[in-house]
Coordinates of all heavy atoms in Angstrom, one line a residue:
M11 N 3.6 7.5 8.1 CA 3.9 8.9 7.4 C 3.9 9.9 8.5 O 3.2 9.7 9.5 CB 2.7 9.2 6.4 CG 1.4 9.6 7.0 SD 0.0 9.6 5.9 CE -0.5 7.9 6.2
H12 N 4.6 10.9 8.3 CA 4.6 12.0 9.1 C 3.2 12.8 9.1 O 2.6 12.8 8.1 CB 5.7 13.1 8.8 CG 5.9 14.1 9.8 ND1 5.2 15.3 9.9 CD2 6.9 14.1 10.8 CE1 5.6 16.0 10.9 NE2 6.6 15.3 11.5
W13 N 2.7 13.3 10.2 CA 1.4 13.9 10.3 C 1.2 15.0 9.3 O 0.1 15.1 8.8 CB 1.1 14.3 11.8 CG 2.0 15.4 12.3 CD1 3.1 15.2 13.0 CD2 1.8 16.8 12.0 NE1 3.6 16.4 13.3 CE2 3.0 17.4 12.7 CE3 1.0 17.6 11.4 CZ2 3.2 18.8 12.7 CZ3 1.2 19.0 11.4 CH2 2.3 19.6 12.0
L14 N 2.4 15.7 9.1 CA 2.3 16.8 8.1 C 2.0 16.3 6.7 O 1.2 17.0 6.0 CB 3.6 17.6 8.2 CG 3.6 18.9 7.3 CD1 2.4 19.9 7.8 CD2 5.0 19.5 7.5
E15 N 2.5 15.2 6.4 CA 2.2 14.6 5.0 C 0.7 14.3 5.0 O 0.0 14.6 3.8 CB 3.0 13.3 4.8 CG 2.7 12.7 3.4 CD 3.3 11.5 3.1 OE1 4.1 10.9 4.0 OE2 3.1 10.8 2.0
A16 N 0.1 13.8 5.9 CA -1.3 13.5 6.0 C -2.2 14.8 5.8 O -3.1 14.8 5.0 CB -1.8 12.8 7.2
E17 N -1.7 15.9 6.4 CA -2.4 17.2 6.3 C -2.2 17.7 4.8 O -3.2 18.1 4.2 CB -1.8 18.1 7.2 CG -2.5 17.9 8.6 CD -2.2 19.2 9.5 OE1 -1.8 20.2 9.0 OE2 -2.5 19.1 10.7
Q18 N -1.0 17.6 4.3 CA -0.8 18.1 3.0 C -1.4 17.4 1.9 O -1.9 18.0 0.9 CB 0.8 18.2 2.8 CG 1.5 19.2 3.5 CD 3.0 19.0 3.5 OE1 3.6 17.9 3.1 NE2 3.7 20.1 3.8
R19 N -1.6 16.1 2.2 CA -2.3 15.3 1.1 C -3.9 15.3 1.3 O -4.6 14.7 0.5 CB -1.8 13.9 1.1 CG -0.4 13.7 0.8 CD -0.1 12.3 0.4 NE 1.4 12.1 0.2 CZ 2.1 12.5 -0.9 NH1 1.4 12.9 -1.9 NH2 3.3 12.3 -1.1
V20 N -4.3 16.0 2.4 CA -5.7 16.1 2.7 C -6.3 14.7 2.9 O -7.4 14.4 2.3 CB -6.4 17.0 1.7 CG1 -7.8 17.4 2.3 CG2 -5.7 18.2 1.2
L21 N -5.6 13.9 3.6 CA -6.2 12.5 3.8 C -7.2 12.6 4.9 O -7.0 13.3 6.0 CB -5.1 11.6 4.4 CG -4.4 10.7 3.4 CD1 -3.2 10.0 4.0 CD2 -5.3 9.6 2.9
D22 N -8.3 12.0 4.7 CA -9.4 11.9 5.7 C -8.9 11.4 7.0 O -8.3 10.4 7.1 CB -10.5 11.1 5.2 CG -11.7 11.0 6.1 OD1 -11.6 11.4 7.3 OD2 -12.7 10.5 5.7
P23 N -9.0 12.2 8.1 CA -8.5 11.9 9.4 C -9.1 10.6 9.9 O -8.5 9.8 10.7 CB -8.9 13.0 10.3 CG -9.1 14.2 9.5 CD -9.6 13.6 8.1
E24 N -10.3 10.2 9.4 CA -10.9 8.9 9.9 C -10.1 7.7 9.2 O -10.3 6.6 9.7 CB -12.3 8.9 9.3 CG -13.2 9.9 10.0 CD -13.4 9.6 11.5 OE1 -13.7 8.4 11.8 OE2 -13.3 10.6 12.3
L25 N -9.3 7.9 8.3 CA -8.5 6.8 7.6 C -7.2 6.5 8.2 O -6.6 5.5 7.9 CB -8.4 7.1 6.1 CG -9.6 7.2 5.3 CD1 -9.3 7.6 3.9 CD2 -10.5 6.1 5.4
V26 N -6.8 7.4 9.1 CA -5.5 7.1 9.7 C -5.5 7.1 11.2 O -6.5 7.4 11.8 CB -4.5 8.4 9.4 CG1 -4.3 8.4 7.8 CG2 -5.1 9.7 9.8
E27 N -4.5 6.5 11.8 CA -4.4 6.4 13.3 C -2.9 6.9 13.7 O -2.0 6.7 12.9 CB -4.8 5.2 13.8 CG -4.1 4.0 13.4 CD -4.7 2.7 13.8 OE1 -5.6 2.8 14.8 OE2 -4.3 1.6 13.4
K28 N -2.8 7.3 15.0 CA -1.6 7.6 15.5 C -0.6 6.4 15.7 O -1.1 5.6 16.4 CB -1.7 8.4 16.7 CG -0.6 9.2 17.3 CD -1.0 10.1 18.4 CE 0.1 11.0 18.9 NZ -0.3 11.9 19.9
L29 N 0.5 6.5 15.2 CA 1.6 5.5 15.3 C 2.5 5.8 16.5 O 2.8 5.0 17.3 CB 2.3 5.3 14.1 CG 3.4 4.1 14.0 CD1 2.7 2.7 14.1 CD2 4.2 4.2 12.7
D30 N 2.9 7.1 16.5 CA 3.8 7.7 17.6 C 3.5 9.2 17.6 O 2.7 9.6 16.8 CB 5.2 7.2 17.5 CG 5.9 7.8 16.3 OD1 5.5 8.8 15.7 OD2 6.8 7.0 15.7
P31 N 4.2 9.9 18.4 CA 3.9 11.4 18.5 C 4.1 12.0 17.1 O 3.5 13.1 16.9 CB 5.0 11.8 19.5 CG 5.2 10.7 20.5 CD 5.1 9.5 19.5
H32 N 4.9 11.7 16.2 CA 4.9 12.3 14.9 C 4.4 11.6 13.7 O 4.3 12.2 12.6 CB 6.6 12.5 14.7 CG 7.2 13.3 15.8 ND1 7.0 14.7 16.0 CD2 8.0 12.9 16.8 CE1 7.6 15.0 17.0 NE2 8.2 14.0 17.6
R33 N 4.2 10.3 13.8 CA 3.7 9.5 12.6 C 2.3 9.0 12.7 O 1.9 8.6 13.9 CB 4.8 8.4 12.5 CG 6.2 8.9 12.1 CD 7.1 7.7 11.9 NE 7.3 6.8 13.1 CZ 7.7 5.7 13.1 NH1 8.1 5.1 12.0 NH2 7.8 5.0 14.2
L34 N 1.7 8.8 11.6 CA 0.4 8.2 11.5 C 0.5 7.0 10.6 O 1.5 6.9 9.9 CB -0.5 9.2 10.7 CG -0.7 10.6 11.4 CD1 -1.6 11.5 10.5 CD2 -1.4 10.4 12.8
T35 N -0.4 6.2 10.6 CA -0.4 5.0 9.7 C -1.9 4.9 9.2 O -2.8 5.3 9.9 CB 0.0 3.7 10.4 OG1 0.0 2.6 9.5 CG2 -1.0 3.4 11.6
M36 N -2.1 4.2 8.1 CA -3.4 3.9 7.6 C -4.0 3.0 8.6 O -3.4 2.0 9.1 CB -3.4 3.4 6.2 CG -2.8 4.4 5.1 SD -3.6 5.9 4.9 CE -5.3 5.3 4.2
R37 N -5.3 3.2 8.9 CA -6.1 2.2 9.6 C -6.2 0.9 8.8 O -6.2 1.0 7.5 CB -7.5 2.7 10.0 CG -7.5 3.9 11.0 CD -8.9 4.2 11.3 NE -9.0 5.4 12.1 CZ -8.8 5.5 13.4 NH1 -8.4 4.5 14.0 NH2 -8.7 6.7 14.0
V38 N -6.4 -0.1 9.6 CA -6.7 -1.4 8.8 C -8.1 -1.8 9.3 O -8.6 -1.5 10.3 CB -5.7 -2.5 9.2 CG1 -4.3 -2.2 8.7 CG2 -5.7 -2.7 10.7
N39 N -8.8 -2.5 8.3 CA -10.1 -2.9 8.6 C -10.2 -4.4 8.9 O -11.2 -5.0 9.1 CB -11.2 -2.5 7.5 CG -10.9 -3.2 6.2 OD1 -10.0 -4.0 6.1 ND2 -11.6 -2.8 5.2
D40 N -9.0 -5.1 8.7 CA -8.9 -6.5 9.1 C -7.5 -6.7 9.7 O -6.5 -6.9 8.9 CB -9.0 -7.3 7.8 CG -8.9 -8.8 8.0 OD1 -8.5 -9.2 9.2 OD2 -9.2 -9.6 7.2
A41 N -7.4 -6.5 11.0 CA -6.1 -6.5 11.7 C -5.3 -7.8 11.4 O -4.1 -7.8 11.4 CB -6.3 -6.2 13.2
S42 N -6.0 -8.9 11.4 CA -5.3 -10.1 11.2 C -4.7 -10.2 9.9 O -3.7 -10.9 9.7 CB -6.2 -11.3 11.3 OG -7.3 -11.4 10.3
R43 N -5.2 -9.5 8.8 CA -4.5 -9.6 7.5 C -3.9 -8.2 7.1 O -3.5 -8.1 6.0 CB -5.5 -10.0 6.5 CG -6.2 -11.4 6.9 CD -6.9 -11.9 5.9 NE -6.1 -12.6 4.8 CZ -6.5 -13.0 3.6 NH1 -7.8 -12.9 3.4 NH2 -5.6 -13.5 2.9
L44 N -3.9 -7.2 8.1 CA -3.4 -5.9 7.8 C -3.9 -5.3 6.5 O -3.2 -4.9 5.7 CB -1.9 -6.0 7.8 CG -1.2 -6.4 9.1 CD1 0.3 -6.4 9.0 CD2 -1.6 -5.4 10.1
R45 N -5.4 -5.4 6.3 CA -5.9 -4.8 5.1 C -6.1 -3.3 5.3 O -6.9 -3.0 6.3 CB -7.1 -5.6 4.7 CG -7.8 -5.0 3.5 CD -9.1 -5.7 3.3 NE -9.8 -5.0 2.1 CZ -10.3 -5.5 1.1 NH1 -10.2 -6.7 0.8 NH2 -10.9 -4.7 0.2
C46 N -5.6 -2.4 4.6 CA -5.7 -1.0 4.6 C -7.2 -0.7 4.5 O -8.0 -1.3 3.6 CB -5.0 -0.4 3.6 SG -5.2 1.5 3.5
I47 N -7.8 0.2 5.3 CA -9.2 0.5 5.2 C -9.5 1.3 3.9 O -10.7 1.2 3.4 CB -9.5 1.5 6.4 CG1 -10.9 1.6 6.6 CG2 -8.9 2.8 6.2 CD1 -11.4 2.2 8.0
A48 N -8.6 1.8 3.2 CA -8.8 2.5 1.9 C -8.9 1.5 0.7 O -9.1 2.0 -0.4 CB -7.9 3.6 1.7
L49 N -8.5 0.2 0.9 CA -8.5 -0.7 -0.1 C -9.8 -1.2 -0.4 O -10.6 -1.7 0.4 CB -7.6 -1.8 0.2 CG -7.2 -2.8 -0.9 CD1 -6.4 -2.2 -2.0 CD2 -6.6 -4.1 -0.4
A50 N -10.4 -0.9 -1.7 CA -11.6 -1.3 -2.2 C -11.4 -2.6 -3.0 O -10.4 -2.8 -3.7 CB -12.2 -0.2 -3.0
G51 N -12.5 -3.4 -3.0 CA -12.5 -4.6 -3.8 C -12.0 -5.9 -3.0 O -12.1 -5.9 -1.8
E52 N -11.9 -6.9 -3.8 CA -11.5 -8.2 -3.2 C -10.1 -8.6 -3.6 O -9.8 -8.8 -4.7 CB -12.5 -9.2 -3.7 CG -12.3 -10.6 -3.0 CD -13.4 -11.7 -3.6 OE1 -14.5 -11.2 -4.0 OE2 -13.1 -12.9 -3.4
I53 N -9.3 -8.9 -2.5 CA -7.9 -9.3 -2.7 C -7.9 -10.6 -3.5 O -8.6 -11.5 -3.1 CB -7.1 -9.4 -1.4 CG1 -7.0 -7.9 -0.8 CG2 -5.8 -9.9 -1.7 CD1 -6.4 -7.9 0.6
G54 N -7.1 -10.6 -4.5 CA -7.0 -11.9 -5.3 C -7.8 -11.8 -6.6 O -7.7 -12.5 -7.5
T55 N -8.7 -10.8 -6.7 CA -9.5 -10.5 -7.9 C -9.2 -9.2 -8.4 O -8.3 -9.1 -9.2 CB -11.0 -10.8 -7.7 OG1 -11.5 -10.1 -6.7 CG2 -11.3 -12.3 -7.4
T56 N -10.0 -8.1 -7.8 CA -9.7 -6.9 -8.4 C -9.8 -5.9 -7.2 O -10.7 -5.8 -6.4 CB -10.8 -6.4 -9.4 OG1 -10.8 -7.3 -10.5 CG2 -10.5 -4.9 -9.9
V57 N -8.6 -5.1 -7.0 CA -8.7 -4.1 -5.9 C -8.2 -2.9 -6.4 O -7.5 -2.8 -7.5 CB -7.8 -4.6 -4.7 CG1 -8.3 -5.9 -3.9 CG2 -6.3 -4.8 -5.1
S58 N -8.5 -1.8 -5.7 CA -8.0 -0.5 -6.0 C -7.9 0.4 -4.7 O -8.6 0.1 -3.8 CB -8.9 0.2 -7.0 OG -10.2 0.4 -6.5
C59 N -7.1 1.4 -4.8 CA -6.9 2.4 -3.7 C -8.0 3.4 -3.7 O -8.1 4.1 -4.8 CB -5.5 2.9 -3.8 SG -5.3 4.2 -2.5
G60 N -8.7 3.4 -2.6 CA -9.8 4.4 -2.6 C -9.5 5.8 -2.5 O -10.3 6.8 -2.5
V61 N -8.1 6.0 -2.1 CA -7.6 7.4 -2.0 C -6.3 7.6 -2.9 O -5.4 8.2 -2.4 CB -7.3 7.7 -0.5 CG1 -8.5 7.7 0.4 CG2 -6.3 6.6 0.1
Y62 N -6.4 7.0 -4.1 CA -5.2 6.9 -4.8 C -4.5 8.3 -5.0 O -3.3 8.4 -4.9 CB -5.6 6.5 -6.2 CG -4.5 6.1 -7.1 CD1 -3.7 4.9 -6.9 CD2 -4.0 7.0 -8.2 CE1 -2.5 4.6 -7.7 CE2 -2.9 6.7 -8.9 CZ -2.1 5.5 -8.7 OH -1.1 5.2 -9.4
A63 N -5.3 9.3 -5.2 CA -4.6 10.7 -5.5 C -4.0 11.2 -4.1 O -3.0 12.0 -4.1 CB -5.7 11.7 -6.0
Q64 N -4.5 10.8 -3.0 CA -4.0 11.3 -1.7 C -3.1 10.2 -1.0 O -2.6 10.5 0.2 CB -5.2 11.7 -0.7 CG -5.9 12.9 -1.2 CD -7.0 12.5 -2.1 OE1 -7.6 11.3 -2.1 NE2 -7.5 13.3 -2.9
R65 N -2.8 9.1 -1.5 CA -2.1 8.0 -0.9 C -0.8 8.6 -0.5 O -0.1 9.4 -1.1 CB -2.0 6.8 -1.8 CG -1.0 6.9 -2.9 CD -1.2 5.8 -4.0 NE -0.2 5.8 -5.0 CZ -0.1 6.7 -5.9 NH1 -1.0 7.7 -6.1 NH2 0.9 6.6 -6.9
P66 N -0.3 8.0 0.7 CA 1.0 8.5 1.3 C 2.2 8.1 0.4 O 2.0 7.1 -0.4 CB 1.1 7.9 2.7 CG -0.1 7.0 2.8 CD -1.1 7.1 1.6
Q67 N 3.3 8.7 0.7 CA 4.5 8.5 0.0 C 5.0 7.1 0.1 O 5.4 6.4 -0.9 CB 5.6 9.4 0.4 CG 6.9 9.3 -0.4 CD 6.6 9.7 -1.9 OE1 5.9 10.8 -2.1 NE2 7.0 9.0 -2.9
C68 N 4.7 6.5 1.2 CA 5.2 5.0 1.4 C 4.4 4.1 0.5 O 5.0 3.1 -0.1 CB 5.0 4.6 2.9 SG 3.4 4.8 3.5
C69 N 3.2 4.4 0.1 CA 2.4 3.6 -0.9 C 2.9 4.0 -2.3 O 3.0 3.1 -3.1 CB 1.0 3.9 -0.7 SG 0.2 3.7 0.8
R70 N 3.2 5.2 -2.5 CA 3.8 5.5 -3.9 C 5.2 4.8 -4.1 O 5.5 4.6 -5.2 CB 4.0 7.0 -3.9 CG 2.7 7.8 -3.8 CD 2.8 9.4 -3.6 NE 1.5 9.9 -3.2 CZ 0.8 10.5 -4.1 NH1 1.2 10.7 -5.3 NH2 -0.4 11.0 -3.7
D71 N 5.9 4.6 -3.0 CA 7.3 4.0 -3.2 C 7.2 2.6 -3.4 O 8.3 2.0 -3.9 CB 8.1 4.4 -1.9 CG 8.5 5.8 -1.8 OD1 8.4 6.5 -2.8 OD2 8.9 6.2 -0.7
L72 N 6.2 1.9 -3.0 CA 6.1 0.5 -3.2 C 5.6 0.1 -4.6 O 4.4 0.3 -4.8 CB 5.2 -0.2 -1.9 CG 5.3 -1.6 -1.8 CD1 4.9 -2.0 -0.4 CD2 4.8 -2.5 -2.9
V73 N 6.5 -0.5 -5.3 CA 6.2 -0.9 -6.6 C 5.8 -2.4 -6.6 O 6.3 -3.2 -5.8 CB 7.1 -0.6 -7.6 CG1 7.4 0.9 -7.8 CG2 8.5 -1.2 -7.2
A74 N 5.1 -2.9 -7.6 CA 4.8 -4.3 -7.7 C 6.0 -5.0 -8.3 O 6.7 -4.4 -9.0 CB 3.6 -4.4 -8.7
S75 N 6.2 -6.3 -7.8 CA 7.4 -7.0 -8.3 C 7.2 -7.1 -9.8 O 6.3 -7.5 -10.4 CB 7.2 -8.4 -7.6 OG 8.0 -8.5 -6.5
W76 N 8.4 -6.9 -10.4 CA 8.7 -7.0 -11.8 C 8.0 -6.0 -12.6 O 8.1 -6.2 -13.8 CB 8.5 -8.5 -12.2 CG 9.2 -9.4 -11.5 CD1 8.7 -10.3 -10.5 CD2 10.6 -9.6 -11.4 NE1 9.8 -11.1 -10.0 CE2 11.0 -10.6 -10.6 CE3 11.7 -9.0 -12.2 CZ2 12.2 -11.1 -10.3 CZ3 13.0 -9.4 -11.9 CH2 13.2 -10.4 -11.0
E77 N 7.2 -5.2 -12.2 CA 6.5 -4.1 -13.0 C 7.5 -3.3 -13.8 O 7.3 -2.9 -14.9 CB 5.6 -3.2 -12.1 CG 4.8 -2.2 -13.1 CD 3.9 -1.4 -12.2 OE1 4.0 -1.3 -11.0 OE2 3.2 -0.6 -12.9
F78 N 8.7 -3.1 -13.0 CA 9.7 -2.3 -13.7 C 11.0 -3.0 -13.8 O 12.1 -2.5 -13.7 CB 10.0 -0.9 -13.0 CG 8.7 0.0 -12.9 CD1 8.0 0.1 -11.7 CD2 8.2 0.5 -14.1 CE1 6.8 0.8 -11.7 CE2 7.0 1.2 -14.1 CZ 6.3 1.4 -12.9
G79 N 10.9 -4.4 -13.9 CA 12.1 -5.3 -14.1 C 12.8 -5.8 -12.9 O 13.9 -6.4 -12.9
Q80 N 12.4 -5.4 -11.6 CA 12.9 -5.8 -10.4 C 11.9 -6.5 -9.5 O 10.8 -6.0 -9.5 CB 13.7 -4.6 -9.8 CG 14.8 -4.2 -10.5 CD 15.6 -3.1 -9.7 OE1 14.9 -2.4 -9.0 NE2 16.9 -3.1 -9.8
R81 N 12.5 -7.4 -8.7 CA 11.5 -8.0 -7.7 C 11.4 -6.9 -6.5 O 12.3 -6.2 -6.2 CB 12.2 -9.2 -7.0 CG 11.6 -9.7 -5.8 CD 12.4 -10.9 -5.3 NE 11.6 -12.0 -5.8 CZ 12.1 -13.3 -5.8 NH1 13.2 -13.5 -5.3 NH2 11.4 -14.2 -6.5
S82 N 10.1 -6.9 -5.9 CA 9.9 -6.1 -4.7 C 9.7 -7.1 -3.6 O 8.7 -7.8 -3.6 CB 8.8 -5.2 -4.9 OG 8.3 -4.7 -3.7
R83 N 10.6 -7.2 -2.6 CA 10.4 -8.0 -1.5 C 9.1 -7.6 -0.7 O 8.4 -8.5 -0.2 CB 11.6 -7.9 -0.5 CG 11.6 -8.7 0.6 CD 12.9 -8.7 1.4 NE 12.8 -9.1 2.8 CZ 12.6 -10.4 3.3 NH1 12.6 -11.3 2.4 NH2 12.5 -10.6 4.6
Q84 N 8.8 -6.3 -0.6 CA 7.6 -6.0 0.2 C 6.4 -6.5 -0.6 O 5.4 -6.9 0.0 CB 7.5 -4.5 0.3 CG 8.4 -4.0 1.3 CD 8.2 -2.4 1.6 OE1 8.7 -1.7 0.7 NE2 7.7 -2.0 2.7
C85 N 6.3 -6.3 -1.8 CA 5.2 -6.7 -2.7 C 5.0 -8.3 -2.5 O 4.0 -8.8 -2.3 CB 5.5 -6.4 -4.2 SG 4.2 -7.1 -5.2
D86 N 6.2 -9.0 -2.7 CA 6.1 -10.4 -2.5 C 5.6 -10.9 -1.2 O 4.7 -11.8 -1.0 CB 7.5 -11.1 -2.7 CG 8.0 -10.9 -4.2 OD1 7.2 -10.5 -4.9 OD2 9.1 -11.4 -4.4
L87 N 6.0 -10.2 -0.2 CA 5.6 -10.6 1.2 C 4.1 -10.3 1.5 O 3.4 -11.0 2.1 CB 6.5 -9.9 2.3 CG 8.0 -10.4 2.4 CD1 8.6 -9.5 3.3 CD2 8.0 -11.9 2.8
A88 N 3.7 -9.2 0.9 CA 2.3 -8.8 1.0 C 1.4 -9.8 0.3 O 0.4 -10.2 0.8 CB 2.0 -7.4 0.5
R89 N 1.8 -10.2 -0.9 CA 0.9 -11.1 -1.6 C 0.9 -12.5 -0.9 O -0.1 -13.1 -0.8 CB 1.5 -11.3 -3.0 CG 1.3 -10.0 -3.9 CD 1.8 -10.2 -5.3 NE 1.2 -11.4 -6.0 CZ 0.1 -11.4 -6.7 NH1 -0.6 -10.3 -6.8 NH2 -0.5 -12.5 -7.3
I90 N 2.1 -13.0 -0.4 CA 2.1 -14.2 0.4 C 1.2 -14.1 1.6 O 0.5 -15.0 1.9 CB 3.7 -14.5 0.8 CG1 4.3 -14.9 -0.6 CG2 3.5 -15.7 1.7 CD1 5.9 -15.0 -0.3
R91 N 1.3 -13.0 2.3 CA 0.4 -12.8 3.4 C -1.0 -12.9 3.2 O -1.8 -13.4 4.0 CB 0.6 -11.4 4.1 CG -0.1 -11.2 5.4 CD 0.2 -9.8 5.9 NE -0.3 -9.7 7.3 CZ 0.4 -10.0 8.4 NH1 1.8 -10.0 8.2 NH2 -0.1 -9.9 9.6
H92 N -1.5 -12.7 1.9 CA -2.8 -12.8 1.5 C -3.1 -14.0 0.7 O -4.1 -14.1 0.0 CB -3.3 -11.5 0.9 CG -3.4 -10.3 1.7 ND1 -4.4 -10.0 2.4 CD2 -2.5 -9.3 1.9 CE1 -4.3 -9.0 3.2 NE2 -3.1 -8.5 2.9
G93 N -2.2 -14.9 0.8 CA -2.4 -16.2 0.1 C -2.2 -16.2 -1.3 O -2.7 -17.1 -2.1
L94 N -1.5 -15.2 -1.9 CA -1.3 -15.1 -3.3 C 0.2 -15.4 -3.7 O 1.0 -15.1 -2.9 CB -1.7 -13.6 -3.8 CG -3.0 -13.2 -3.6 CD1 -3.1 -11.7 -3.9 CD2 -4.0 -14.0 -4.4
A95 N 0.5 -16.0 -4.8 CA 1.9 -16.2 -5.2 C 2.5 -14.9 -5.6 O 1.9 -13.9 -6.1 CB 1.8 -17.2 -6.4
P96 N 3.8 -14.7 -5.4 CA 4.5 -13.5 -5.8 C 4.4 -13.4 -7.3 O 4.3 -14.3 -8.0 CB 5.9 -13.8 -5.4 CG 5.9 -14.8 -4.3 CD 4.6 -15.6 -4.6
L97 N 4.3 -12.1 -7.8 CA 4.3 -11.9 -9.2 C 5.6 -12.3 -9.9 O 6.7 -12.4 -9.1 CB 4.1 -10.4 -9.4 CG 2.8 -9.8 -8.9 CD1 2.8 -8.2 -9.0 CD2 1.5 -10.3 -9.7
T98 N 5.6 -12.6 -11.1 CA 6.8 -13.0 -11.9 C 6.8 -12.0 -13.2 O 5.8 -11.4 -13.4 CB 6.7 -14.4 -12.4 OG1 5.6 -14.5 -13.4 CG2 6.4 -15.4 -11.3
P99 N 7.9 -12.1 -13.8 CA 8.0 -11.3 -15.1 C 7.0 -11.5 -16.1 O 6.4 -10.7 -16.8 CB 9.3 -11.6 -15.6 CG 10.1 -11.9 -14.4 CD 9.2 -12.7 -13.4
A100 N 6.4 -12.8 -16.1 CA 5.3 -13.1 -17.0 C 4.0 -12.5 -16.7 O 3.1 -12.5 -17.5 CB 5.1 -14.7 -16.9
D101 N 3.9 -11.9 -15.4 CA 2.7 -11.2 -15.2 C 2.6 -9.9 -15.7 O 1.6 -9.2 -15.7 CB 2.5 -11.1 -13.5 CG 2.3 -12.4 -12.9 OD1 1.3 -13.1 -13.3 OD2 3.0 -12.7 -12.0
W102 N 3.7 -9.4 -16.4 CA 3.8 -8.1 -17.0 C 4.0 -8.4 -18.5 O 5.2 -8.3 -19.0 CB 4.9 -7.3 -16.4 CG 4.6 -7.1 -14.9 CD1 5.2 -7.9 -14.0 CD2 3.8 -6.2 -14.3 NE1 4.7 -7.4 -12.7 CE2 3.8 -6.5 -13.0 CE3 2.8 -5.2 -14.9 CZ2 3.0 -5.7 -12.0 CZ3 2.1 -4.6 -13.9 CH2 2.2 -4.8 -12.5
P103 N 3.1 -8.7 -19.3 CA 3.3 -9.1 -20.7 C 4.2 -8.2 -21.5 O 5.0 -8.6 -22.3 CB 1.8 -9.1 -21.3 CG 1.0 -9.3 -20.1 CD 1.7 -8.6 -19.0
A104 N 4.0 -6.8 -21.3 CA 4.8 -5.9 -22.2 C 6.2 -6.1 -21.8 O 7.2 -6.0 -22.7 CB 4.3 -4.5 -21.9
A105 N 6.6 -6.4 -20.6 CA 8.0 -6.4 -20.1 C 8.5 -7.8 -20.6 O 9.7 -8.0 -20.8 CB 8.1 -6.4 -18.7
A106 N 7.7 -8.9 -20.8 CA 8.2 -10.1 -21.2 C 8.6 -10.2 -22.6 O 9.3 -11.1 -23.1 CB 7.0 -11.3 -20.9
N107 N 8.1 -9.3 -23.5 CA 8.4 -9.3 -24.8 C 9.8 -8.8 -25.2 O 10.4 -8.2 -24.5 CB 7.4 -8.3 -25.7 CG 6.0 -9.0 -25.6 OD1 5.8 -10.2 -25.5 ND2 5.0 -8.1 -25.7
Ligands
LIG225 S1 -2.1 2.4 -1.7 FE1 -1.8 2.8 0.4 S2 -3.7 4.1 1.0 FE2 -4.1 3.0 -0.9 S3 -5.1 1.1 -0.2 FE3 -3.0 0.7 -0.4 S4 -2.2 0.8 1.5 FE4 -4.1 1.9 1.5

């Protein structure tokens, strides 16, 4: 995200790090698995974003696979990275009806 976005969203500076002269990225607390420092809970059971209201636009833009009827390659790859199967339309009961 651009540094100005972080300021406008009032993101805690402790949660981000410099990516290049203009961009920041969320810090990770597990570099081997790229787990965002703001992610609370246990992956594979229940997780939530600890800064949901202030989350950057890139997070807002990433939708879960099939939540709105389309596959999300980024979602699938993130789940696979964490040892989870990609979501399917059946994971969204309302959409399956
Ligand atoms: S939505 Fe974004 S800020 Fe929130 S936990 Fe996920 S990666 Fe981190």
Side-chain angles (χ1 to χ4, degrees):
M11 79 194 89
H12 192 273
W13 62 265
L14 185 57
E15 180 187 358
E17 280 196 9
Q18 290 172 336
R19 296 196 187 281
V20 196
L21 260 172
D22 182 345
E24 295 293 317
L25 298 178
V26 298
E27 61 187 349
K28 195 172 183 176
L29 187 60
D30 63 30
H32 301 287
R33 295 181 299 165
L34 304 173
T35 184
M36 296 299 293
R37 287 186 192 280
V38 295
N39 64 4
D40 181 349
S42 66
R43 304 189 79 188
L44 296 179
R45 182 185 165 127
C46 175
I47 197 168
L49 188 66
E52 184 180 337
I53 294 174
T55 53
T56 303
V57 292
S58 62
C59 174
V61 293
Y62 190 77
Q64 292 90 22
R65 72 196 188 286
Q67 189 62 47
C68 54
C69 299
R70 296 166 192 262
D71 290 344
L72 199 159
V73 295
S75 268
W76 303 109
E77 183 177 9
F78 301 109
Q80 291 185 323
R81 165 181 274 166
S82 163
R83 180 172 159 76
Q84 282 183 291
C85 173
D86 291 353
L87 291 174
R89 289 180 61 86
I90 290 167
R91 181 179 196 99
H92 289 279
L94 302 170
L97 294 171
T98 71
D101 291 306
W102 305 98
N107 293 332

